[in-house]
Amino acid sequence: GQQLNQSPQSMFIQEGEDVSMNCTSSSIFNTWLWYKQDPGEGPVLLIALYKAGELTSNGRLTAQFGITRKDSFLNISASIPSDVGIYFCAGDFNNAGNMLTFGGGTRLMVKP
Amino acid sequence: NAGVTQTPKFQVLKTGQSMTLQCAQDMNHEYMSWYRQDPGMGLRLIHYSVGAGITDQGEVPNGYNVSRSTTEDFPLRLLSAAPSQTSVYFCASSTGGRETQYFGPGTRLLVL
């Protein structure tokens, strides 16, 4: 099946620092999504990207849909303790919204 | 409006036992999906449905059955549990297309 490679696998940063994580694929996706998962919960959508080259922000979060449609990145600026969690990228090939391919996740830890 | 609900929250099975994981949504969403999440990994699609009476296989369907007799419910059945099915199972729903996919809180399954 399709594979999404997400990096880094984990990050331990100081509060206030900026964070960057990315996702690459061997296949083209028509939609890129970024989710956050808190312990014991299901993933929650942070940002959705629908067009190659698109740059979208949601508060302190910024994500971009790569021009080749095979990659995406997520930046978090001025991190705070509640940013702790696992961040997943996901690709949607057919834009149906119900058949997502997920990356392996980036575990973010923030030191106050 | 409870969103996506899943029961049970936790379950321990012996190899060979059968059980049904329940998923229900009250948002009148046509699209529903089941994913499994193994430790340190992203979610993988098991089965999905685009409406009542319509189901199809995802990336890892072996060992699981689904049915969709109503819009609200999408149960996942394990006919003969195996230790390899130890995982966290997430149900999700959406209206399809570019609309957000909402995830339930998950069911943690341990097969001994």
Side-chain angles (χ1 to χ4, degrees):
Chain A
Q2 297 173 348
Q3 296 283 334
L4 289 188
N5 298 308
Q6 188 171 346
S7 65
Q9 288 187 326
S10 63
M11 302 180 72
F12 189 81
I13 62 171
Q14 192 77 35
E15 182 178 0
E17 289 184 349
D18 297 342
V19 172
S20 184
M21 59 192 78
N22 68 78
C23 220
T24 60
S25 170
S26 57
S27 304
I28 288 173
F29 285 103
N30 292 316
T31 299
W32 281 92
L33 306 163
W34 285 92
Y35 286 85
K36 183 188 179 201
Q37 184 178 30
D38 292 324
E41 302 290 334
V44 175
L45 182 66
L46 298 173
I47 292 180
L49 302 158
Y50 301 111
K51 188 187 301 184
E54 179 181 354
L55 184 71
T56 296
S57 294
N58 178 6
R60 294 178 295 107
L61 279 61
T62 302
Q64 184 156 30
F65 191 146
I67 289 291
T68 65
R69 293 196 285 159
K70 292 184 178 181
D71 63 322
S72 177
F73 72 74
L74 174 71
N75 286 343
I76 305 174
S77 62
S79 59
I80 59 178
S82 62
D83 290 335
V84 165
I86 304 177
Y87 292 79
F88 289 100
C89 61
D92 188 352
F93 174 73
N94 62 2
N95 284 346
N98 64 327
M99 296 175 59
L100 302 182
T101 299
F102 281 81
T106 295
R107 182 180 296 274
L108 179 64
M109 292 159 280
V110 180
K111 184 178 179 182
Chain B
N1 189 330
V4 180
T5 57
Q6 291 184 240
T7 56
K9 290 185 185 297
F10 304 96
Q11 184 70 48
V12 180
L13 291 178
K14 294 181 180 178
T15 296
Q17 286 185 316
S18 62
M19 80 160 294
T20 299
L21 281 64
Q22 302 292 344
C23 174
Q25 52 89 12
D26 59 0
M27 299 175 281
N28 201 32
H29 286 169
E30 289 296 318
Y31 287 36
M32 297 186 75
S33 306
W34 275 103
Y35 295 85
R36 61 176 287 173
Q37 183 178 31
D38 298 315
M41 296 180 65
L43 283 70
R44 291 183 293 168
L45 182 66
I46 304 172
H47 284 286
Y48 66 95
S49 168
V50 298
I54 306 169
T55 64
D56 207 343
Q57 296 180 349
E59 180 186 355
V60 289
N62 292 341
Y64 307 95
N65 280 351
V66 292
S67 60
R68 185 92 181 273
S69 56
T70 67
T71 299
E72 294 77 20
D73 301 296
F74 191 41
L76 179 72
R77 278 182 287 277
L78 283 71
L79 300 178
S80 178
S84 61
Q85 293 178 304
T86 293
S87 190
V88 181
Y89 291 85
F90 289 99
C91 179
S93 75
S94 74
T95 56
R98 292 185 170 188
E99 296 304 313
T100 299
Q101 187 164 193
Y102 294 90
F103 285 84
T107 292
R108 284 146 187 80
L109 177 67
L110 173 63
V111 183
L112 301 174

